[in-house]
Amino acid sequence: DIQMTQSPSSLSASVGDRVAITCRASQNINNCLNWYQQAVGKAPNLLIYTASSLQSGVPSRFSGSRSGTDFTLTISNLQPEDFATYYCQQSCETPYTFGQGTNLEIK
Amino acid sequence: QLHQSGPGLVKASQTLSLTCAISGDSVSSNRAAWNWIRQSPSRGLEWLGRTYFGSKWNYEYPFSVKGRISIKPDTSKNQFSLQLNSVSPEDTAVYFCAKEILHSGPNRFAPWGPGTLVTVSS
């Protein structure tokens, strides 16, 4: 199975800050990488697919990038509704696997 | 949209059964696969398997639950179901159904159902 290693596990930031969350795949997954946001008590919601494509309706302050097997989710100008947990997921092959999550908290 | 139903409490050794009703799409669509995913503090997000229609119905399950799990479409009701046999307290989790978008670049899950907390009592 492809392992997804996500870091950091938690992150504190303030409204207006810019933050980055990284995810490393255990093997080459090309651009088969998705990012999800999960609010407390809710289902995950797709933010970014194919490493850098913005899902319809998602604000442009969210962006994704790739360097080899390393992927980054960047959130600029943090808004109060952005404080949530974020997950990466590889969709290159089954079994699909997820990162362990990054809990973004208000400083 | 996806709407989940099923019991929130199951006894150990019995069968966990959940249903996911689909609105605004078709379980027989050739551009979608229908998945079950669960989430627990100990295991995080764990993909449980999927079904999709190509020239025939296809089923895929991870090794971790293979032999205990069944995901089935119901075309008459436009829904799909999850059955997990011989459950133990380790199967306690929030269970989500999710649509997987196919044939439009790499696959991704959107939307997800709201989730059902299933507790396995010993």
Side-chain angles (χ1 to χ4, degrees), chain B residues 6-67:
Chain B
L9 184 62
V10 181
K11 292 183 178 178
S13 79
Q14 296 191 345
T15 297
L16 181 160
S17 296
L18 296 173
T19 298
C20 185
I22 302 163
S23 57
D25 206 332
S26 170
V27 71
S28 302
S29 169
N30 61 4
R31 303 183 66 83
W34 306 97
N35 293 252
W36 286 96
I37 298 160
R38 68 182 177 184
Q39 184 174 33
S40 65
S42 58
R43 295 174 177 244
L45 285 163
E46 180 183 12
W47 178 73
L48 295 177
R50 65 177 181 170
T51 185
Y52 59 95
F53 187 74
S55 55
K56 61 179 177 67
W57 284 103
N58 297 276
Y59 308 90
E60 288 186 64
Y61 309 113
F63 180 78
S64 59
V65 292
K66 209 166 189 176

Side-chain angles (χ1 to χ4, degrees), chain A residues 31-34 36 38 41-46 49-50 55 87 89 91 94-100, chain B residues 35 37 39 42-47 50 60 62 96 100 104-110 112-115:
Chain A
N31 284 331
C32 304
L33 191 283
N34 304 316
Y36 300 87
Q38 186 177 30
K42 301 291 188 182
N45 182 50
L46 180 66
Y49 62 96
T50 322
Q55 172 72 350
Y87 294 93
Q89 176 243 334
S91 60
T94 59
Y96 297 136
T97 46
F98 294 82
Q100 285 303 105
Chain B
N35 293 252
I37 298 160
Q39 184 174 33
S42 58
R43 295 174 177 244
L45 285 163
E46 180 183 12
W47 178 73
R50 65 177 181 170
E60 288 186 64
F96 296 100
E100 179 185 357
S104 179
N107 301 347
R108 61 268 194 195
F109 298 124
W112 296 54

Side-chain angles (χ1 to χ4, degrees), chain A residues 17-76:
Chain A
D17 283 355
R18 180 173 182 266
V19 298
I21 299 167
T22 62
C23 191
R24 173 170 291 177
S26 61
Q27 64 189 69
N28 179 31
I29 58 170
N30 296 309
N31 284 331
C32 304
L33 191 283
N34 304 316
W35 289 99
Y36 300 87
Q37 177 193 62
Q38 186 177 30
V40 173
K42 301 291 188 182
N45 182 50
L46 180 66
L47 293 175
I48 301 279
Y49 62 96
T50 322
S52 60
S53 297
L54 198 65
Q55 172 72 350
S56 176
V58 174
S60 59
R61 61 180 181 274
F62 291 91
S63 62
S65 63
R66 171 199 172 196
S67 176
T69 57
D70 291 339
F71 298 83
T72 302
L73 171 69
T74 301
I75 313 171
S76 303

